[in-house]
Amino acid sequence: MGQNGKLKLGLYWAASCGGCEIAVVELREKLLIVDQVADIVFWPVATDFKYKDVEAYPDGYMDVCFFNGAIRTSENEHLAHLLRKKSKILVAFGSCAYEGCIPGLANLFDRESIFRRVYLESESVDNPNKVVPQTTYQMPEGEIHIPKFYNTVKTLAQVTDVDYFLPGCPPQDPQIWAVIEAIVAGKLPPKGSVVGANEKTVCDECKHVREEKKIKKFYRYHEIIPDSTKCLFDQGIICAGPATRGGCGALCTKVDIPCRGCYGPPPNVCDQGASLLAAVASVVDADTEEDARRIVSEILDPVGTFYRFSLPASLLHRARLS
Amino acid sequence: MSGNGRFEPRIVAFLCNWCTYTAADTAGVSRMKQPPNVDIIRVMCTGRIDPVFVLKAFAEGADGVIVSGCHPPGDCHYNNGNYKTFRRMPLVEALLQQYGIEEGRFHWGWISGAEAPKWAELTREFTEQVRKLGPLNWKQQFASKED
Ligand code: FES
């Protein structure tokens, strides 16, 4: 804490979309309260502090650092270690830092295949010299360096020690606010806890009425107009609600969009995808192996469906590297 | 690797107490020839085999995984545990395929208590099949330093 009694707060974005930053701005007028209780000492998206400023801070200088984004490049990893050193409390903020999130789905591929697709094959790319990123390049003025793009997306906790996990893609602003209040009041739970979320599943917060599920056919979302009173799962739409921690207020299902699982697994579930897979299998209405196979074969991209937000944090972490 | 330099796969088998485990027990008592590569984990019913068991086995170093229980429709001791299994396992197969784990590393099916020779044969054939595929080494590939 600074001499003025204010918290020193840092915010950083690694491999992320920027949505977590927007979520902070969504605090709106409460940001003014944040300003009263905290000095922001690092926030690349909004302030002009440089990496070298952070490097010059004494260790443990920041009281709290909200780190959003996954670890995709050597730069992300470097900042993860640096910010760990400079912060008393490091929070994995949002689904990317917590579980890898959408950028983590690239773990179905490796660096080479991603570069090939993005820089050479993509329909919108014009790259006659077939240039792909190199980590070092000789210019007339000297050698320049860019960060290395890793084969595997990792979560923040897979590269450094993390104190708290704040889930969501992005975290909902009332939950962010509740966490800030807890920090200011010094009322944080034990290290390693998931904060800004609930202990039950999204189904617990969802208003749709559940009945006995028996599914003969699964629908992709655009193939059906759901009944907005009945459980979406009951109607054959794969909804990650039963395998997802609550805390968002079931925002998606409120407007008949199935839950995709961005708040991560509920307490005591180690692999969200396996848990959702089991939930899906349990509703399949098949009395023979052939029927079961036929019904579940309609689920395209099972890894992308079951692990949409949690592939790097899952048991297997990634597809096999050749 | 064994002493003679041959790759010895590590195989984890989840068997239900009432059918396949009984078959495995009989196979052992009757001294049927089986390779020592298969580690059996006994569960009460295949319905208890959460998909996470299979994933965890691979993640922790298994080269192959077997799931086996009572024949459907009617053999399951708990009526419909094997139904749960045949609804789950095709999805597990699909996941493994996306992860790049060869089909031949995962076997699920049914062997009754009276089919001890069938169990012994499965252990022999499956072990050879996985041996041919080579080590999976899942842990290592995630831990390996990024080059
Ligand atoms: S008891 Fe054997 S499968 Fe259920």
Side-chain angles (χ1 to χ4, degrees):
Chain A
M1 207 160 293
Q3 279 168 351
N4 56 6
K6 283 167 123 184
L7 285 174
K8 292 205 175 347
L9 180 65
L11 296 99
Y12 186 66
W13 54 353
S16 64
C17 68
C20 284
E21 313 285 338
I22 307 287
V24 174
V25 179
E26 277 287 297
L27 291 172
R28 296 193 195 114
E29 67 283 356
K30 292 208 180 84
L31 268 181
L32 299 174
I33 307 178
V34 174
D35 185 55
Q36 281 168 19
V37 296
D39 281 331
I40 291 175
V41 296
F42 184 51
W43 191 9
V45 80
T47 63
D48 199 25
F49 295 100
K50 304 289 191 234
Y51 290 176
K52 65 172 184 342
D53 299 324
V54 179
E55 278 155 14
Y57 292 154
D59 289 357
Y61 177 75
M62 287 186 248
D63 293 294
V64 184
C65 178
F66 287 151
F67 188 110
N68 75 68
I71 309 302
R72 166 89 274 180
T73 66
S74 53
E75 181 191 14
N76 301 152
E77 183 168 5
H78 171 68
L79 262 287
H81 293 309
L82 180 65
L83 291 168
R84 169 69 280 181
K85 220 164 72 188
K86 304 294 176 188
S87 323
K88 293 194 188 78
I89 298 173
L90 181 64
V91 181
F93 185 100
S95 174
C96 288
Y98 173 31
E99 310 177 279
C101 196
I102 303 293
L105 286 175
N107 281 0
L108 287 172
F109 307 91
D110 59 8
R111 174 175 49 230
E112 203 201 313
S113 57
I114 293 170
F115 278 13
R116 197 184 326 119
R117 173 71 197 147
V118 170
Y119 294 102
L120 305 174
E121 293 172 356
S122 167
E123 293 71 8
S124 57
V125 160
D126 181 23
N127 183 4
N129 296 330
K130 307 212 180 312
V131 179
V132 294
Q134 309 292 319
T135 49
T136 55
Y137 190 73
Q138 201 58 50
M139 298 281 288
E141 297 83 358
E143 198 174 70
I144 57 169
H145 302 265
I146 63 166
K148 176 168 230 164
F149 185 98
Y150 290 155
N151 269 317
T152 302
V153 172
K154 290 187 176 168
T155 69
L156 183 59
Q158 283 165 350
V159 301
T160 193
D161 189 38
V162 174
D163 296 300
Y164 297 103
F165 301 89
L166 178 54
C169 180
Q172 292 308 300
D173 50 280
Q175 297 284 18
I176 301 174
W177 183 244
V179 171
I180 293 176
E181 281 185 320
I183 293 170
V184 172
K187 284 198 184 125
L188 280 164
K191 182 180 160 151
S193 301
V194 171
V195 293
N198 298 345
E199 296 298 299
K200 290 189 170 162
T201 65
V202 172
C203 293
D204 202 59
E205 300 174 346
C206 175
K207 299 281 171 292
H208 294 246
V209 181
R210 261 179 290 174
E211 280 160 18
E212 168 109 47
K213 299 180 186 19
K214 275 192 175 298
I215 304 301
K216 282 243 185 273
K217 177 175 166 50
F218 287 105
Y219 295 94
R220 297 179 75 195
Y221 185 67
H222 64 272
E223 294 171 334
I224 183 172
I225 296 176
D227 176 334
S228 30
T229 56
K230 286 203 215 133
C231 170
L232 298 168
F233 219 144
D234 284 350
Q235 302 175 62
I237 301 167
I238 294 178
C239 176
T244 303
R245 188 188 278 270
C248 57
L251 281 182
C252 295
T253 65
K254 226 182 235 170
V255 290
D256 295 347
I257 303 276
C259 170
R260 287 134 201 258
C262 78
Y263 264 63
N268 305 322
V269 169
C270 69
D271 189 289
Q272 188 183 17
S275 168
L276 181 55
L277 184 153
V280 167
S282 72
V283 302
V284 169
D285 185 13
D287 288 333
T288 64
E289 287 175 45
E290 295 66 47
D291 272 358
R293 245 177 221 291
R294 186 180 44 73
I295 295 171
V296 301
S297 70
E298 283 165 19
I299 300 171
L300 302 170
D301 188 12
V303 170
T305 306
F306 301 144
Y307 294 94
R308 188 170 278 137
F309 295 86
S310 65
L311 183 55
S314 71
L315 278 171
L316 292 175
H317 309 301
R318 59 157 301 119
R320 202 164 169 194
L321 284 166
S322 47
Chain B
M1 294 285 164
S2 67
N4 59 16
R6 198 166 67 142
F7 163 57
E8 290 298 343
R10 182 108 200 247
I11 292 160
V12 178
F14 297 98
L15 310 182
C16 87
N17 181 54
W18 304 100
C19 284
T20 311
Y21 187 83
T22 309
D25 197 25
T26 311
V29 171
S30 330
R31 307 193 169 208
M32 291 177 193
K33 198 167 172 234
Q34 297 171 68
N37 305 58
V38 183
D39 291 327
I40 295 176
I41 297 177
R42 173 164 60 155
V43 293
M44 290 311 283
C45 172
T46 58
R48 175 66 183 88
I49 302 168
D50 191 302
V52 90
F53 294 7
V54 178
L55 302 181
K56 187 146 191 180
F58 281 120
E60 300 277 320
D63 300 297
V65 175
I66 294 173
V67 167
S68 185
C70 314
H71 286 273
D75 279 9
C76 172
H77 203 72
Y78 308 94
N79 284 336
N80 56 9
N82 50 4
Y83 279 55
K84 290 195 169 71
T85 300
F86 73 62
R87 290 166 187 167
R88 280 173 190 160
M89 294 308 155
L91 274 172
V92 174
E93 277 175 6
L95 274 193
L96 296 180
Q97 195 207 343
Q98 267 185 299
Y99 278 120
I101 296 176
E102 300 93 334
E103 229 177 289
R105 293 188 189 272
F106 179 51
H107 169 91
W108 64 275
W110 324 109
I111 293 175
S112 80
E115 293 175 316
K118 189 171 159 192
W119 166 256
E121 194 186 317
L122 174 68
T123 61
R124 292 193 298 267
E125 282 176 2
F126 191 72
T127 302
E128 283 323 304
Q129 184 175 312
V130 177
R131 196 194 309 278
K132 276 202 202 100
L133 291 169
L136 183 61
N137 266 340
W138 201 268
K139 253 188 186 165
Q140 226 175 24
Q141 72 147 4
F142 189 70
S144 69
K145 259 268 167 247
E146 302 275 347
D147 52 313

